[in-house]
Amino acid sequence: MRRGEDSGGGEIMDYMDNIRNKLALLPDLPGCYLMKNEEGTIIYVGKAKVLKNRVRSYFTGSHNGKTQRLVANIVDFEYIVTASNMEALILECNLIKKHMPRYNVLLKDDKTFPYIKITNEAHPRLEVTRRVLKDKAKYFGPYPNAYAAQQTKKLLDRMYPLRKCGVMPKEVCLYYHMGQCLAPCEKEVPKSSYDEIIQSISGFLGGGHEAVKKDLQKKMQEAAEELYFERAKELRDQIIHIDALMEKQKINTPDTRDRDVFGYAVDKGWMCVQILYMRQGKMIQRHSSAFPFYGDAYSDFMSYVTQYYSDNPALPQEILLPDPLREGGIAAKPAAGELAVLAAEELKAGPEEPETAQETAEREAATEAAAAAGVVDAAGGAAILQEWLGIKVLVPQRGLKKQMVGMACENGRVALDEKFRLIERDEERTSGAAVSLGQSLGLANLSRIEAFDNSNIQGTNPVSAMVVFIDGKPARKEYRKYKVRTVIGADDYGTMREVIRRRYERVLKENLPLPDLIVVDGGKGQISSAIDILENELGLFIPVCGLVKDDKHKTAQLLVGDPPEPVALARDSQEFYLLQRIQDEVHRFAITFHREQRGKSMVTSKLDAIPGIGDKRRKLLLKHFGSLKKIKEAAVEDFRPLSIGDKLAGQILDALRDEEPSVD
């Protein structure tokens, strides 16, 4: 019996009494709580500064739609008391990773970005990696994309002679002769040399590229004066590469610190978290994650941040977080160019002014109100993160840093607006287009469309395929493939009659849903064949339309009725786009199936032509070797595990190899 499905309300009272009893015993201590559904599955994990206040808030007062959905599925809960808020933060992160609760914010694996790594080996080398491990290596990044990371590594490989090979070779390679490797495979390289190179690379990636550039310019000038023009050209190219890499980083801050700037926005039950990556004072990347959330917005946001930094040693020097009590997660967005102006103004203005007494009182009052409601306050969350990560975590209240957080928050709002607009546009292009198409065809309802296409090459391996679109969207689980059984040769009308008969005989027999419209690939002949089978054999009166293609094999015209008449649709209308998508999809599906059958047929015919090979042995050979090519490449003794003697094995190999063209 499911929750709420009892005869006298006894089961509901049981679980409500259980929850009330547990709520009365909740302690005034920090910890984590685990919400469970009727199957005992953990569906939500949260943390609280005061367990009593936070857990009770779920079962009292009103909630938004998303939180109501979560609460409606809670029939029990557990809690774990911790010694501090920091322990609660870490425990929550570990519990979420372990149980993957349905209603929690869960980080996806695609959040990883490329880093440049200097390996911790006797002979270190440079790598581009997306996995940041606690292996005592040095990591630099993240980079906007793999191309940017690879280009930077390529430049560093030219400038610094660390080894390039994954496995140490037995003799020197081309890199040594090009001056890009110290040849540790043959020569003893002192640790001091590696330390000097690593220090130079770290300085370059840590913002010291201007000093490196000046040094290269000096060396280039010296080489030119000594008439070493090839060397001067190499140095010039390196300077050009440095300029190309650095000139894309437009948004600057006054210092050269590495920062991760977080912002978030919420709307319609969705949250969007934005991370601005500032490296050496320059913004190099913006990362966006959008997902539904069910708990308190800021608590779930902090849960995201905690998961993001768990087991990740590649930390920035500083993290900036938004303050929802002052900004509501949203702040005015400065334009990209304004940040440079703000930075200059901040340098002139000096340090930020302290809060006024009134501002301090307002902030503390808001914080107390949030704590009373059981919500994590921004300053408290930042302090916990700072203690856990060992780096500075700030909730800026004014100045450039606040503007940067505001920029991240505004980007989150824009991303959510864009998401909802795309959903609306998708609705217009799918269900909206289906409704409009139905009106154009005079149909009261057009929800389910089934489309057919035939495929063969000069009559060989004839097949057909059907795709289903529901409310303008493909329903791939309902796609069907058909091997044509009764038609010989390239008879498109006969193939259509067979497939329509087979499909709708089964629909009637199994009481499957009937389509509102059937679409066939072709003109009057295909439409007439389909209508004849439907009406005269099966007694079904379903509208049938045909899609005619032009000489470029593109959707050109819609025909409907008996006799078929063209329907005027604007080429740039959503209805026409929907028909194009349907025709392209069914054609793709039919062609793919035909290629599969043709490939199987070719293998079957070649093996079946060999005396002594039947259906059983053919399947055994293909399963063992994997393909016809692998069978051809096998030796006689490779057939023995299949209980095929040397004589028959030789015949198989001779027959297959005789089919190969001779070489004169």
Side-chain angles (χ1 to χ4, degrees):
M1 185 181 295
R2 294 181 61 81
R3 175 179 170 180
E5 296 178 353
D6 64 313
S7 56
E11 185 177 337
I12 295 177
M13 291 302 296
D14 285 346
Y15 86 76
M16 284 303 298
D17 286 344
N18 180 50
I19 286 177
R20 274 193 290 268
N21 291 335
K22 284 191 170 185
L23 289 175
L25 299 174
L26 283 165
D28 295 322
L29 295 169
C32 290
Y33 52 91
L34 301 89
M35 302 299 194
K36 297 182 177 182
N37 63 9
E38 59 189 347
E39 284 85 27
T41 303
I42 295 170
I43 58 174
Y44 188 77
V45 173
K47 63 182 175 301
K49 187 176 181 180
V50 180
L51 280 167
K52 181 196 292 185
N53 295 345
R54 186 72 187 111
V55 178
R56 280 181 176 178
S57 70
Y58 285 93
F59 304 98
T60 57
S62 60
H63 303 286
N64 61 34
K66 288 277 186 179
T67 306
Q68 283 177 358
R69 193 183 307 174
L70 163 63
V71 174
N73 284 282
I74 299 172
V75 300
D76 195 9
F77 68 86
E78 293 179 9
Y79 61 89
I80 302 171
V81 174
T82 59
S84 66
N85 293 332
M86 188 179 78
E87 285 187 14
L89 183 82
I90 299 169
L91 178 60
E92 180 199 38
C93 182
N94 292 334
L95 290 172
I96 289 173
K97 286 183 175 181
K98 178 181 178 182
H99 297 290
M100 303 292 285
R102 175 184 173 186
Y103 292 102
N104 272 99
V105 170
L106 301 174
L107 245 62
K108 302 289 198 312
D109 290 336
D110 62 0
K111 73 177 180 67
T112 56
F113 287 94
Y115 290 79
I116 290 180
K117 173 182 179 181
I118 305 177
T119 61
N120 180 36
E121 299 174 273
H123 304 289
R125 57 197 176 95
L126 286 169
E127 292 180 350
V128 173
T129 180
R130 291 180 185 269
R131 296 182 62 202
V132 181
L133 308 172
K134 293 181 179 178
D135 55 1
K136 297 184 179 179
K138 289 183 178 291
Y139 292 88
F140 301 90
Y143 284 83
N145 50 57
Y147 176 77
Q150 291 288 358
Q151 287 297 102
T152 305
K153 177 184 176 293
K154 188 176 179 181
L155 172 62
L156 294 172
D157 281 338
R158 291 175 182 169
M159 294 169 59
Y160 301 104
L162 292 181
R163 71 182 177 100
K164 310 295 186 290
C165 49
V167 179
M168 199 81 74
K170 294 181 180 179
E171 57 185 24
V172 295
C173 60
L174 182 61
Y175 287 113
Y176 170 72
H177 297 294
M178 293 168 63
Q180 296 181 17
C181 182
L182 297 175
C185 52
E186 284 199 357
K187 300 180 179 182
E188 185 68 30
V189 181
K191 186 177 181 299
S192 59
S193 297
Y194 284 133
D195 290 342
E196 185 180 340
I197 293 172
I198 291 171
Q199 188 175 356
S200 298
I201 293 174
S202 301
F204 179 89
L205 295 175
H209 56 275
E210 286 296 338
V212 173
K213 183 177 165 184
K214 286 180 182 177
D215 184 51
L216 290 175
Q217 287 172 335
K218 181 182 176 183
K219 290 179 179 178
M220 179 183 71
Q221 190 67 30
E222 291 173 354
E225 288 173 359
E226 295 176 12
L227 305 182
Y228 295 139
F229 297 118
E230 289 187 7
R231 176 60 178 160
K233 182 179 179 298
E234 290 175 9
L235 293 166
R236 184 204 65 186
D237 291 344
Q238 289 180 6
I239 293 168
I240 291 171
H241 284 302
I242 291 173
D243 287 337
L245 283 170
M246 297 303 166
E247 63 114 13
K248 296 177 184 178
Q249 303 174 12
K250 297 292 186 185
I251 299 176
N252 299 342
T253 54
D255 54 26
T256 58
R257 294 179 69 82
D258 291 353
R259 291 186 179 90
D260 288 351
V261 183
F262 283 85
Y264 75 97
V266 294
D267 192 14
K268 299 182 179 68
W270 279 75
M271 176 182 294
C272 179
V273 176
Q274 296 277 325
I275 312 173
L276 306 181
Y277 296 98
M278 311 288 293
R279 295 298 180 263
Q280 293 90 55
K282 299 176 177 63
M283 192 177 90
I284 64 165
Q285 172 69 7
R286 176 180 68 90
H287 177 55
S288 177
S289 295
F291 42 80
F293 75 101
Y294 299 87
D296 170 71
Y298 200 74
S299 293
D300 281 4
F301 164 70
M302 290 301 294
S303 174
Y304 178 98
V305 176
T306 306
Q307 290 180 63
Y308 182 83
Y309 287 115
S310 63
D311 302 322
N312 185 357
L315 298 172
Q317 296 167 292
E318 190 173 276
I319 297 171
L320 303 183
L321 300 177
D323 186 350
L325 302 176
R326 293 177 64 125
E327 303 179 39
I330 296 294
K333 173 192 173 186
E338 289 177 7
L339 278 179
V341 176
L342 286 163
E345 290 176 351
E346 187 172 84
L347 280 173
K348 293 175 185 175
E352 296 177 359
E353 296 178 3
E355 280 186 326
T356 65
Q358 182 179 350
E359 287 174 332
T360 303
E362 289 174 356
R363 178 172 54 80
E364 289 176 351
T367 301
E368 287 175 9
V375 178
V376 175
D377 66 284
I384 296 168
L385 268 180
Q386 181 166 305
E387 184 183 355
W388 178 45
L389 298 175
I391 60 174
K392 188 177 285 188
V393 182
L394 303 175
V395 182
Q397 303 299 316
R398 57 179 46 74
L400 175 62
K401 291 178 182 178
K402 182 184 177 185
Q403 295 287 350
M404 289 160 60
V405 170
M407 183 179 183
C409 290
E410 177 66 12
N411 272 279
R413 186 189 65 77
V414 170
L416 282 183
D417 285 348
E418 183 179 279
K419 177 181 180 66
F420 296 134
R421 284 202 306 271
L422 286 173
I423 290 172
E424 291 171 4
R425 186 165 175 261
D426 186 53
E427 287 295 322
E428 181 186 338
R429 293 181 68 235
T430 53
S431 57
V435 170
S436 298
L437 180 61
Q439 292 171 350
S440 299
L441 298 176
L443 301 177
N445 180 53
L446 183 54
S447 175
R448 185 184 181 92
I449 301 173
E450 296 185 357
F452 296 83
D453 190 16
N454 305 325
S455 182
N456 66 79
I457 295 180
Q458 296 180 344
T460 61
N461 302 110
V463 298
S464 189
M466 180 196 78
V467 302
V468 179
F469 276 61
I470 298 176
D471 294 330
K473 297 178 182 178
R476 291 184 174 83
K477 290 184 178 178
E478 300 199 43
Y479 287 12
R480 294 293 180 267
K481 304 171 182 176
Y482 298 92
K483 292 181 183 178
V484 178
R485 299 169 181 168
T486 61
V487 177
I488 299 173
D491 183 354
D492 219 21
Y493 302 155
T495 298
M496 186 61 66
R497 293 173 67 88
E498 177 189 328
V499 172
I500 293 290
R501 183 186 295 114
R502 286 168 58 186
R503 167 61 183 169
Y504 295 104
E505 278 180 349
R506 183 176 181 183
V507 166
L508 292 172
K509 183 178 178 180
E510 299 182 11
N511 198 27
L512 300 175
L514 286 167
D516 300 307
L517 177 69
I518 295 172
V519 178
V520 298
D521 186 69
K524 296 180 180 180
Q526 284 86 348
I527 295 173
S528 299
S529 299
I531 290 175
D532 180 42
I533 297 297
L534 289 167
E535 296 183 359
N536 299 327
E537 289 191 21
L538 303 176
L540 294 173
F541 294 87
I542 302 170
V544 179
C545 69
L547 292 174
V548 181
K549 296 176 181 176
D550 58 22
D551 54 357
K552 295 180 180 178
H553 212 66
K554 299 291 184 183
T555 306
Q557 194 176 44
L558 173 67
L559 299 177
V560 68
D562 190 15
E565 296 292 336
V567 177
L569 291 177
R571 286 295 186 98
D572 59 351
S573 66
Q574 296 295 343
E575 303 96 283
F576 193 82
Y577 291 153
L578 174 60
L579 290 172
Q580 278 187 322
R581 291 199 301 275
I582 292 172
Q583 189 168 40
D584 291 345
E585 178 69 353
V586 70
H587 181 69
R588 177 200 65 79
F589 194 52
I591 286 292
T592 302
F593 182 45
H594 181 257
R595 286 171 180 163
E596 291 173 1
Q597 295 304 307
R598 192 170 75 242
K600 290 178 182 177
S601 175
M602 290 170 66
V603 171
T604 300
S605 61
K606 288 180 180 179
L607 289 175
D608 283 347
I610 301 171
I613 299 296
D615 184 60
K616 186 176 179 181
R617 271 186 171 158
R618 184 187 74 243
K619 291 178 180 177
L620 191 66
L621 284 164
L622 290 171
K623 183 178 179 181
H624 180 75
F625 290 102
S627 68
L628 201 65
K629 182 182 177 184
K630 292 287 179 65
I631 299 174
K632 288 181 182 180
E633 295 171 351
V636 170
E637 55 269 21
D638 294 333
F639 292 83
R640 291 171 188 166
L642 304 178
S643 301
I644 293 177
D646 291 355
K647 182 178 179 182
L648 179 56
Q651 291 174 349
I652 294 170
L653 293 173
D654 290 342
L656 293 177
R657 290 167 181 169
D658 283 346
E659 294 183 8
E660 296 178 356
S662 59
V663 180
D664 295 332

